[in-house]
Amino acid sequence: MADRLRRKGDRRGNKLVLVTVGKKTGVERMTPVRWFPGAGDTKLIVASASGGPRNPAWYYNVAANPDRVRVEFAGQRIEVIPEQLHGAERDAAWRQITNAAHGFARYERITDREIPVIRLTPRPGAPVS
């Protein structure tokens, strides 16, 4: 699935491949994730792990190597700056996400953790290929 998303994207245009570097291994990891539009040219992604008790592995990879994160979809490769949202900014983004995709609200109900919302901003000056 990741290879197809990287080359052609998806029909709805709401999935991308998040490329991170493993926290422990240093190996590049590719994870398909759903994205939501943020302000300007930013994208929002959610570390939901389907409502599991812990954040997904990619979340820890992003935190460990934030300068080595990119997204790929439909033949594009974009270096990004990840930023976890907090407080009112996170709450507003979460409302937007759960209004667009009701399943994420269910994930919040079945877990004890606050589900992280990450904003991905294209890195200035980085080539888009």
Side-chain angles (χ1 to χ4, degrees), residues 12 28 30 46 56 60 71:
R12 293 187 182 149
E28 205 170 74
M30 296 183 189
V46 181
Y60 300 104
V71 296

Side-chain angles (χ1 to χ4, degrees), residues 6-21:
R6 290 172 64 209
R7 285 182 285 116
K8 297 183 179 183
D10 69 316
R11 285 180 294 171
R12 293 187 182 149
N14 63 3
K15 292 188 180 86
L16 55 79
V17 176
L18 180 68
V19 183
T20 62
V21 173

Side-chain angles (χ1 to χ4, degrees), residues 45-109:
I45 59 174
V46 181
S48 67
S50 300
R54 293 190 309 247
N55 295 321
W58 66 257
Y59 172 84
Y60 300 104
N61 294 344
V62 167
N65 297 294
D67 57 327
R68 297 179 68 191
V69 177
R70 72 176 184 272
V71 296
E72 297 186 16
F73 58 94
Q76 294 184 5
R77 183 179 174 144
I78 303 167
E79 303 290 326
V80 295
I81 300 168
E83 177 188 5
Q84 184 169 341
L85 303 182
H86 298 281
E89 192 173 28
R90 188 252 178 217
D91 294 343
W94 186 251
R95 279 191 301 276
Q96 173 195 337
I97 290 164
T98 56
N99 285 335
H102 303 293
F104 285 94
R106 180 182 166 276
Y107 297 157
E108 186 176 47
R109 287 191 304 273

Side-chain angles (χ1 to χ4, degrees), residues 24 35 82 84 124:
K24 295 178 184 176
W35 68 272
Q84 184 169 341

